[in-house]
Amino acid sequence: MAGEMLTIGAFARACGLSPKALRLYDELDLLRPARVDPDTGYRYYTAGQLERARLVAWLRRLGMPLARIRRVCALGADAAAVEVRAYWARVEADTAVRRDLAAFLVDHLTDVSRRDTTMSTGTLELRYHAHSDRGRVRTANQDAAYAGRRLLAVADGFGPAGGPAAGAAVAALRRLETREVPAGGVLNLLEDAVRGAARAVRDVAAGAEEAGTTLTAALWTGSRLALVHIGDSRAYLLRGGELFRVTHDHTVVQSLVDEGRLTEEEAASHPQRTLLLKALTGAEATAAPDLRLHDVRAGDRWLLCSDGLPRAVPDADVRRLLVASAGPAEAVGALIGAADEAGSPDNVACAVAYVVDAADAADAAA
């Protein structure tokens, strides 16, 4: 029988896996040999196992964990393709975060003149405004919003202590208005601040996992915005007349969109579209937030909002209102008003900042 099969060495050469890897996958029940000689313990494989072995090899080259490879191999071709697409979407998202951090570190280490400081390195500054509105449907407001000289923040609470949780998270971050930012340390500072916000939320939620808040915040360094995000509140950038969404919802429905199981249109009306995968809750463990750095230009308009706005107002209308508004206060009023008119089923919180050239603004005022 052994003569009708491939030895482990021949099979390894044919599929691109090493004999050592084949022995490991046998032990893990990922790729069992067709026969094991009872006397020598030597493994034999059939030609029919090559397709599965090559799939395992390809998935390992993608960096997919063995446990996930086992799940993929157990699926049919269509379902396996969906799983691979979902895995790679997550890899690309994680890579984008690391790419931004790497670019920042290269910039920080090679160009002293562009390092982050607590004061503006040029003439850019922010004009800002924030407001949280109960809306026309909810009886209580569980959203919180803040805008200051250096900080923008929006939180959307949920559960029995949702309002206090949102307020506590934003209050914890407001200390960043007066904290000195060491050169290159803005992301570390934000990460520490979010840990403080998580502790504050746990205190007010009294350990209840069903209570908590989302949190999206931006810290202005004078040349960049450092963004932290967890949950389904959002951050948008209007630049050159185009609106860009710069955060990724941490929801079950968004994960289904990422995996190709739902379209954006189907997600908009999905009954579980508000079910969160990440948030700050009363539980002890807190999922890691997204942290990114963004270069800023004069003329940029930044919007942070709770999900009550995008659930009621299409992005095209958000763009139109941001373009048409002369200042942040007008923009916030227009956006919240549009959400109310559209019958938003939730509270709506907005924080808006316009990036202006201080010298040009002074000349205009003169």
Short mmCIF file of all heavy atoms in Angstrom, two decimals, residues 224-279:
data_model
loop_
_atom_site.label_atom_id
_atom_site.label_comp_id
_atom_site.label_asym_id
_atom_site.label_seq_id
_atom_site.Cartn_x
_atom_site.Cartn_y
_atom_site.Cartn_z
N ARG A 224 -0.75 68.11 14.03
CA ARG A 224 -1.47 66.88 13.73
C ARG A 224 -2.65 66.72 14.68
O ARG A 224 -2.71 67.35 15.73
CB ARG A 224 -0.56 65.66 13.86
CG ARG A 224 0.57 65.58 12.85
CD ARG A 224 1.30 64.25 13.06
NE ARG A 224 2.40 64.10 12.14
CZ ARG A 224 3.63 64.54 12.38
NH1 ARG A 224 3.91 65.14 13.52
NH2 ARG A 224 4.59 64.37 11.49
N LEU A 225 -3.54 65.81 14.29
CA LEU A 225 -4.58 65.33 15.19
C LEU A 225 -4.29 63.87 15.49
O LEU A 225 -4.10 63.06 14.57
CB LEU A 225 -5.97 65.45 14.56
CG LEU A 225 -6.68 66.79 14.66
CD1 LEU A 225 -8.04 66.71 13.97
CD2 LEU A 225 -6.88 67.21 16.12
N ALA A 226 -4.22 63.54 16.77
CA ALA A 226 -4.10 62.15 17.21
C ALA A 226 -5.50 61.67 17.56
O ALA A 226 -6.18 62.29 18.38
CB ALA A 226 -3.17 62.04 18.41
N LEU A 227 -5.93 60.59 16.93
CA LEU A 227 -7.31 60.14 17.05
C LEU A 227 -7.37 58.82 17.81
O LEU A 227 -6.60 57.91 17.54
CB LEU A 227 -7.91 59.95 15.66
CG LEU A 227 -9.42 59.69 15.58
CD1 LEU A 227 -10.19 60.95 15.95
CD2 LEU A 227 -9.80 59.25 14.16
N VAL A 228 -8.29 58.74 18.77
CA VAL A 228 -8.55 57.50 19.48
C VAL A 228 -10.02 57.16 19.30
O VAL A 228 -10.88 58.05 19.30
CB VAL A 228 -8.19 57.61 20.98
CG1 VAL A 228 -9.04 58.64 21.69
CG2 VAL A 228 -8.31 56.26 21.67
N HIS A 229 -10.31 55.85 19.12
CA HIS A 229 -11.68 55.48 18.75
C HIS A 229 -12.00 54.09 19.27
O HIS A 229 -11.22 53.14 19.08
CB HIS A 229 -11.83 55.53 17.22
CG HIS A 229 -13.07 54.87 16.71
ND1 HIS A 229 -14.33 55.39 16.90
CD2 HIS A 229 -13.24 53.72 15.99
CE1 HIS A 229 -15.22 54.60 16.32
NE2 HIS A 229 -14.58 53.58 15.78
N ILE A 230 -13.17 53.95 19.90
CA ILE A 230 -13.68 52.64 20.30
C ILE A 230 -15.20 52.71 20.28
O ILE A 230 -15.80 53.61 20.87
CB ILE A 230 -13.14 52.20 21.68
CG1 ILE A 230 -13.58 50.78 22.00
CG2 ILE A 230 -13.53 53.17 22.78
CD1 ILE A 230 -12.83 50.16 23.17
N GLY A 231 -15.84 51.80 19.54
CA GLY A 231 -17.29 51.80 19.45
C GLY A 231 -17.78 52.21 18.08
O GLY A 231 -17.10 52.00 17.07
N ASP A 232 -18.98 52.83 18.03
CA ASP A 232 -19.55 53.20 16.73
C ASP A 232 -19.85 54.69 16.61
O ASP A 232 -20.60 55.09 15.70
CB ASP A 232 -20.82 52.38 16.45
CG ASP A 232 -21.94 52.66 17.44
OD1 ASP A 232 -21.70 53.35 18.46
OD2 ASP A 232 -23.07 52.19 17.20
N SER A 233 -19.32 55.52 17.51
CA SER A 233 -19.29 56.94 17.19
C SER A 233 -18.28 57.11 16.06
O SER A 233 -17.50 56.21 15.78
CB SER A 233 -18.88 57.76 18.43
OG SER A 233 -19.87 57.65 19.43
N ARG A 234 -18.29 58.27 15.40
CA ARG A 234 -17.48 58.39 14.19
C ARG A 234 -16.70 59.69 14.13
O ARG A 234 -17.04 60.66 14.81
CB ARG A 234 -18.39 58.29 12.94
CG ARG A 234 -18.99 56.94 12.73
CD ARG A 234 -19.81 56.88 11.46
NE ARG A 234 -20.35 55.55 11.22
CZ ARG A 234 -21.11 55.22 10.18
NH1 ARG A 234 -21.42 56.13 9.27
NH2 ARG A 234 -21.55 53.98 10.04
N ALA A 235 -15.67 59.67 13.29
CA ALA A 235 -14.93 60.88 12.95
C ALA A 235 -14.91 61.00 11.43
O ALA A 235 -14.68 60.01 10.73
CB ALA A 235 -13.50 60.83 13.50
N TYR A 236 -15.16 62.22 10.94
CA TYR A 236 -15.14 62.53 9.52
C TYR A 236 -14.19 63.69 9.27
O TYR A 236 -14.02 64.57 10.12
CB TYR A 236 -16.53 62.95 9.02
CG TYR A 236 -17.59 61.87 9.00
CD1 TYR A 236 -18.38 61.62 10.13
CD2 TYR A 236 -17.82 61.11 7.86
CE1 TYR A 236 -19.37 60.64 10.10
CE2 TYR A 236 -18.82 60.13 7.83
CZ TYR A 236 -19.58 59.91 8.95
OH TYR A 236 -20.56 58.94 8.93
N LEU A 237 -13.61 63.70 8.08
CA LEU A 237 -12.77 64.81 7.64
C LEU A 237 -13.31 65.34 6.33
O LEU A 237 -13.50 64.59 5.36
CB LEU A 237 -11.32 64.33 7.45
CG LEU A 237 -10.38 65.27 6.67
CD1 LEU A 237 -10.20 66.59 7.41
CD2 LEU A 237 -9.04 64.60 6.40
N LEU A 238 -13.56 66.65 6.28
CA LEU A 238 -13.90 67.33 5.04
C LEU A 238 -12.64 68.04 4.55
O LEU A 238 -12.13 68.93 5.23
CB LEU A 238 -15.02 68.35 5.27
CG LEU A 238 -15.45 69.11 4.01
CD1 LEU A 238 -16.32 68.23 3.12
CD2 LEU A 238 -16.21 70.39 4.38
N ARG A 239 -12.14 67.62 3.40
CA ARG A 239 -10.92 68.21 2.85
C ARG A 239 -11.10 68.38 1.34
O ARG A 239 -11.44 67.42 0.64
CB ARG A 239 -9.70 67.34 3.14
CG ARG A 239 -8.42 67.80 2.45
CD ARG A 239 -7.22 66.93 2.85
NE ARG A 239 -6.80 67.20 4.22
CZ ARG A 239 -5.86 66.50 4.86
NH1 ARG A 239 -5.28 65.47 4.24
NH2 ARG A 239 -5.52 66.81 6.11
N GLY A 240 -10.84 69.59 0.86
CA GLY A 240 -10.97 69.84 -0.57
C GLY A 240 -12.36 69.58 -1.09
O GLY A 240 -12.53 69.20 -2.25
N GLY A 241 -13.37 69.78 -0.26
CA GLY A 241 -14.74 69.55 -0.68
C GLY A 241 -15.20 68.12 -0.61
O GLY A 241 -16.37 67.83 -0.86
N GLU A 242 -14.31 67.18 -0.28
CA GLU A 242 -14.65 65.76 -0.18
C GLU A 242 -14.74 65.33 1.28
O GLU A 242 -13.92 65.75 2.10
CB GLU A 242 -13.62 64.90 -0.91
CG GLU A 242 -13.53 65.15 -2.41
CD GLU A 242 -14.81 64.79 -3.14
OE1 GLU A 242 -15.45 63.78 -2.73
OE2 GLU A 242 -15.17 65.48 -4.10
N LEU A 243 -15.72 64.48 1.58
CA LEU A 243 -15.91 63.99 2.94
C LEU A 243 -15.33 62.59 3.07
O LEU A 243 -15.66 61.70 2.28
CB LEU A 243 -17.40 63.97 3.29
CG LEU A 243 -17.71 63.61 4.76
CD1 LEU A 243 -17.29 64.74 5.69
CD2 LEU A 243 -19.21 63.31 4.92
N PHE A 244 -14.48 62.40 4.08
CA PHE A 244 -13.86 61.10 4.33
C PHE A 244 -14.21 60.63 5.73
O PHE A 244 -14.09 61.40 6.69
CB PHE A 244 -12.33 61.19 4.20
CG PHE A 244 -11.84 61.72 2.89
CD1 PHE A 244 -11.58 63.08 2.73
CD2 PHE A 244 -11.66 60.88 1.81
CE1 PHE A 244 -11.14 63.58 1.52
CE2 PHE A 244 -11.21 61.37 0.59
CZ PHE A 244 -10.95 62.72 0.45
N ARG A 245 -14.65 59.38 5.85
CA ARG A 245 -14.87 58.78 7.17
C ARG A 245 -13.55 58.16 7.61
O ARG A 245 -12.99 57.32 6.90
CB ARG A 245 -15.97 57.73 7.08
CG ARG A 245 -16.26 57.02 8.38
CD ARG A 245 -17.44 56.10 8.17
NE ARG A 245 -17.38 54.94 9.02
CZ ARG A 245 -18.09 53.84 8.81
NH1 ARG A 245 -18.88 53.76 7.77
NH2 ARG A 245 -17.99 52.82 9.63
N VAL A 246 -13.06 58.55 8.76
CA VAL A 246 -11.71 58.13 9.17
C VAL A 246 -11.73 57.14 10.33
O VAL A 246 -10.67 56.73 10.81
CB VAL A 246 -10.83 59.34 9.53
CG1 VAL A 246 -10.61 60.21 8.31
CG2 VAL A 246 -11.43 60.16 10.66
N THR A 247 -12.90 56.73 10.78
CA THR A 247 -12.99 55.69 11.81
C THR A 247 -13.74 54.49 11.26
O THR A 247 -14.44 54.59 10.25
CB THR A 247 -13.71 56.20 13.07
OG1 THR A 247 -14.98 56.77 12.69
CG2 THR A 247 -12.87 57.21 13.81
N HIS A 248 -13.60 53.37 11.94
CA HIS A 248 -14.21 52.11 11.53
C HIS A 248 -15.11 51.65 12.68
O HIS A 248 -14.65 51.50 13.82
CB HIS A 248 -13.13 51.08 11.25
CG HIS A 248 -13.60 49.89 10.49
ND1 HIS A 248 -13.90 49.94 9.15
CD2 HIS A 248 -13.83 48.60 10.88
CE1 HIS A 248 -14.29 48.73 8.75
NE2 HIS A 248 -14.25 47.91 9.78
N ASP A 249 -16.39 51.42 12.39
CA ASP A 249 -17.33 51.01 13.43
C ASP A 249 -16.93 49.66 14.02
O ASP A 249 -16.65 48.71 13.29
CB ASP A 249 -18.75 50.90 12.87
CG ASP A 249 -19.34 52.25 12.50
OD1 ASP A 249 -18.75 53.28 12.87
OD2 ASP A 249 -20.40 52.26 11.84
N HIS A 250 -16.95 49.58 15.35
CA HIS A 250 -16.71 48.32 16.04
C HIS A 250 -18.05 47.67 16.37
O HIS A 250 -18.46 47.58 17.53
CB HIS A 250 -15.90 48.56 17.31
CG HIS A 250 -14.55 49.16 17.06
ND1 HIS A 250 -13.97 50.09 17.88
CD2 HIS A 250 -13.67 48.96 16.05
CE1 HIS A 250 -12.79 50.43 17.42
NE2 HIS A 250 -12.58 49.76 16.30
N THR A 251 -18.75 47.23 15.33
CA THR A 251 -20.07 46.63 15.50
C THR A 251 -20.12 45.27 14.82
O THR A 251 -19.32 44.97 13.91
CB THR A 251 -21.18 47.51 14.90
OG1 THR A 251 -20.95 47.66 13.48
CG2 THR A 251 -21.20 48.89 15.56
N VAL A 252 -21.09 44.47 15.23
CA VAL A 252 -21.29 43.16 14.60
C VAL A 252 -21.63 43.33 13.13
O VAL A 252 -21.09 42.63 12.26
CB VAL A 252 -22.41 42.39 15.33
CG1 VAL A 252 -22.80 41.15 14.55
CG2 VAL A 252 -21.98 42.01 16.74
N VAL A 253 -22.50 44.28 12.83
CA VAL A 253 -22.93 44.48 11.45
C VAL A 253 -21.75 44.93 10.57
O VAL A 253 -21.60 44.47 9.44
CB VAL A 253 -24.09 45.48 11.38
CG1 VAL A 253 -24.33 45.97 9.96
CG2 VAL A 253 -25.36 44.84 11.93
N GLN A 254 -20.90 45.84 11.09
CA GLN A 254 -19.75 46.27 10.30
C GLN A 254 -18.81 45.10 10.02
O GLN A 254 -18.23 45.00 8.93
CB GLN A 254 -19.00 47.38 11.02
CG GLN A 254 -17.82 47.95 10.24
CD GLN A 254 -18.23 48.58 8.93
OE1 GLN A 254 -19.07 49.47 8.90
NE2 GLN A 254 -17.65 48.10 7.83
N SER A 255 -18.66 44.20 10.99
CA SER A 255 -17.81 43.03 10.76
C SER A 255 -18.39 42.15 9.66
O SER A 255 -17.65 41.55 8.88
CB SER A 255 -17.64 42.23 12.06
OG SER A 255 -18.85 41.57 12.43
N LEU A 256 -19.73 42.07 9.58
CA LEU A 256 -20.36 41.29 8.52
C LEU A 256 -20.16 41.95 7.16
O LEU A 256 -19.99 41.28 6.14
CB LEU A 256 -21.86 41.12 8.80
CG LEU A 256 -22.21 40.29 10.05
CD1 LEU A 256 -23.71 40.31 10.29
CD2 LEU A 256 -21.71 38.86 9.91
N VAL A 257 -20.16 43.29 7.14
CA VAL A 257 -19.86 44.01 5.90
C VAL A 257 -18.41 43.74 5.48
O VAL A 257 -18.11 43.48 4.31
CB VAL A 257 -20.10 45.52 6.06
CG1 VAL A 257 -19.61 46.29 4.84
CG2 VAL A 257 -21.58 45.80 6.30
N ASP A 258 -17.48 43.82 6.46
CA ASP A 258 -16.07 43.56 6.17
C ASP A 258 -15.85 42.16 5.60
O ASP A 258 -14.97 41.96 4.76
CB ASP A 258 -15.23 43.72 7.45
CG ASP A 258 -15.25 45.14 7.98
OD1 ASP A 258 -15.58 46.06 7.22
OD2 ASP A 258 -14.94 45.31 9.18
N GLU A 259 -16.64 41.21 6.07
CA GLU A 259 -16.50 39.83 5.63
C GLU A 259 -17.23 39.54 4.33
O GLU A 259 -17.17 38.43 3.81
CB GLU A 259 -17.02 38.88 6.72
CG GLU A 259 -16.21 38.91 8.01
CD GLU A 259 -16.89 38.19 9.15
OE1 GLU A 259 -17.95 37.56 8.91
OE2 GLU A 259 -16.38 38.26 10.29
N GLY A 260 -17.93 40.54 3.81
CA GLY A 260 -18.66 40.35 2.57
C GLY A 260 -20.00 39.67 2.74
O GLY A 260 -20.63 39.27 1.75
N ARG A 261 -20.49 39.54 3.97
CA ARG A 261 -21.76 38.86 4.20
C ARG A 261 -22.95 39.81 4.10
O ARG A 261 -24.09 39.36 3.97
CB ARG A 261 -21.75 38.20 5.58
CG ARG A 261 -20.65 37.16 5.74
CD ARG A 261 -20.72 36.48 7.10
NE ARG A 261 -19.59 35.59 7.32
CZ ARG A 261 -19.44 34.84 8.40
NH1 ARG A 261 -20.35 34.87 9.36
NH2 ARG A 261 -18.37 34.06 8.52
N LEU A 262 -22.69 41.11 4.22
CA LEU A 262 -23.73 42.12 4.08
C LEU A 262 -23.22 43.24 3.18
O LEU A 262 -22.03 43.54 3.17
CB LEU A 262 -24.11 42.73 5.44
CG LEU A 262 -24.91 41.91 6.45
CD1 LEU A 262 -25.11 42.73 7.72
CD2 LEU A 262 -26.25 41.49 5.88
N THR A 263 -24.14 43.87 2.46
CA THR A 263 -23.80 45.09 1.74
C THR A 263 -24.01 46.28 2.66
O THR A 263 -24.66 46.17 3.71
CB THR A 263 -24.69 45.26 0.49
OG1 THR A 263 -26.05 45.46 0.93
CG2 THR A 263 -24.62 44.03 -0.40
N GLU A 264 -23.48 47.44 2.28
CA GLU A 264 -23.68 48.65 3.08
C GLU A 264 -25.17 48.98 3.18
O GLU A 264 -25.64 49.44 4.23
CB GLU A 264 -22.93 49.82 2.45
CG GLU A 264 -21.41 49.70 2.52
CD GLU A 264 -20.87 49.98 3.91
OE1 GLU A 264 -21.66 50.34 4.80
OE2 GLU A 264 -19.64 49.85 4.10
N GLU A 265 -25.91 48.74 2.10
CA GLU A 265 -27.35 49.02 2.10
C GLU A 265 -28.08 48.10 3.08
O GLU A 265 -28.96 48.53 3.82
CB GLU A 265 -27.92 48.86 0.69
CG GLU A 265 -27.43 49.89 -0.32
CD GLU A 265 -25.99 49.67 -0.75
OE1 GLU A 265 -25.47 48.52 -0.60
OE2 GLU A 265 -25.36 50.63 -1.22
N GLU A 266 -27.70 46.82 3.08
CA GLU A 266 -28.33 45.88 4.01
C GLU A 266 -27.96 46.20 5.45
O GLU A 266 -28.78 46.07 6.36
CB GLU A 266 -27.89 44.45 3.68
CG GLU A 266 -28.44 43.94 2.36
CD GLU A 266 -27.78 42.63 1.92
OE1 GLU A 266 -26.63 42.37 2.34
OE2 GLU A 266 -28.41 41.88 1.16
N ALA A 267 -26.74 46.65 5.67
CA ALA A 267 -26.29 46.98 7.02
C ALA A 267 -27.08 48.14 7.61
O ALA A 267 -27.35 48.18 8.81
CB ALA A 267 -24.80 47.32 7.00
N ALA A 268 -27.46 49.10 6.76
CA ALA A 268 -28.14 50.30 7.25
C ALA A 268 -29.49 49.99 7.90
O ALA A 268 -29.93 50.72 8.79
CB ALA A 268 -28.34 51.29 6.10
N SER A 269 -30.12 48.89 7.48
CA SER A 269 -31.42 48.54 8.04
C SER A 269 -31.40 47.24 8.86
O SER A 269 -32.44 46.72 9.22
CB SER A 269 -32.45 48.40 6.90
OG SER A 269 -32.03 47.42 5.96
N HIS A 270 -30.20 46.76 9.15
CA HIS A 270 -30.08 45.50 9.89
C HIS A 270 -30.57 45.68 11.32
O HIS A 270 -30.26 46.69 11.97
CB HIS A 270 -28.62 45.04 9.90
CG HIS A 270 -28.45 43.60 10.28
ND1 HIS A 270 -28.50 43.17 11.59
CD2 HIS A 270 -28.24 42.48 9.52
CE1 HIS A 270 -28.32 41.86 11.63
NE2 HIS A 270 -28.16 41.42 10.40
N PRO A 271 -31.36 44.73 11.86
CA PRO A 271 -31.91 44.89 13.22
C PRO A 271 -30.84 44.93 14.32
O PRO A 271 -31.12 45.41 15.42
CB PRO A 271 -32.83 43.68 13.38
CG PRO A 271 -32.35 42.68 12.36
CD PRO A 271 -31.86 43.50 11.22
N GLN A 272 -29.63 44.42 14.05
CA GLN A 272 -28.57 44.41 15.06
C GLN A 272 -27.47 45.42 14.75
O GLN A 272 -26.34 45.27 15.20
CB GLN A 272 -27.97 43.01 15.17
CG GLN A 272 -28.92 41.97 15.74
CD GLN A 272 -28.25 40.62 15.88
OE1 GLN A 272 -27.57 40.14 14.98
NE2 GLN A 272 -28.44 39.98 17.03
N ARG A 273 -27.81 46.50 14.02
CA ARG A 273 -26.77 47.42 13.57
C ARG A 273 -26.12 48.19 14.72
O ARG A 273 -25.04 48.76 14.55
CB ARG A 273 -27.33 48.40 12.54
CG ARG A 273 -28.46 49.29 13.05
CD ARG A 273 -29.05 50.10 11.91
NE ARG A 273 -30.17 50.92 12.33
CZ ARG A 273 -31.42 50.50 12.44
NH1 ARG A 273 -31.70 49.23 12.16
NH2 ARG A 273 -32.39 51.29 12.84
N THR A 274 -26.76 48.22 15.89
CA THR A 274 -26.16 48.94 17.03
C THR A 274 -25.44 48.00 18.01
O THR A 274 -24.95 48.48 19.04
CB THR A 274 -27.25 49.72 17.79
OG1 THR A 274 -28.23 48.80 18.29
CG2 THR A 274 -27.93 50.74 16.88
N LEU A 275 -25.36 46.72 17.70
CA LEU A 275 -24.71 45.77 18.60
C LEU A 275 -23.20 45.94 18.51
O LEU A 275 -22.59 45.73 17.46
CB LEU A 275 -25.11 44.34 18.24
CG LEU A 275 -24.68 43.24 19.22
CD1 LEU A 275 -25.27 43.48 20.60
CD2 LEU A 275 -25.11 41.87 18.69
N LEU A 276 -22.58 46.32 19.61
CA LEU A 276 -21.16 46.68 19.62
C LEU A 276 -20.26 45.47 19.85
O LEU A 276 -20.59 44.57 20.64
CB LEU A 276 -20.89 47.72 20.71
CG LEU A 276 -21.55 49.09 20.53
CD1 LEU A 276 -21.38 49.93 21.79
CD2 LEU A 276 -20.95 49.82 19.34
N LEU A 277 -19.10 45.50 19.21
CA LEU A 277 -18.04 44.53 19.49
C LEU A 277 -17.03 45.09 20.47
O LEU A 277 -16.37 44.35 21.20
CB LEU A 277 -17.33 44.15 18.19
CG LEU A 277 -18.11 43.30 17.20
CD1 LEU A 277 -17.30 43.11 15.92
CD2 LEU A 277 -18.48 41.96 17.79
N LYS A 278 -16.87 46.42 20.48
CA LYS A 278 -15.93 47.09 21.38
C LYS A 278 -16.59 48.30 22.00
O LYS A 278 -17.33 49.03 21.33
CB LYS A 278 -14.68 47.56 20.62
CG LYS A 278 -13.69 46.50 20.20
CD LYS A 278 -12.46 47.18 19.59
CE LYS A 278 -11.43 46.19 19.14
NZ LYS A 278 -10.21 46.89 18.62
N ALA A 279 -16.30 48.54 23.26
CA ALA A 279 -16.78 49.73 23.96
C ALA A 279 -16.07 49.80 25.31
O ALA A 279 -15.40 48.84 25.72
CB ALA A 279 -18.29 49.70 24.16
#
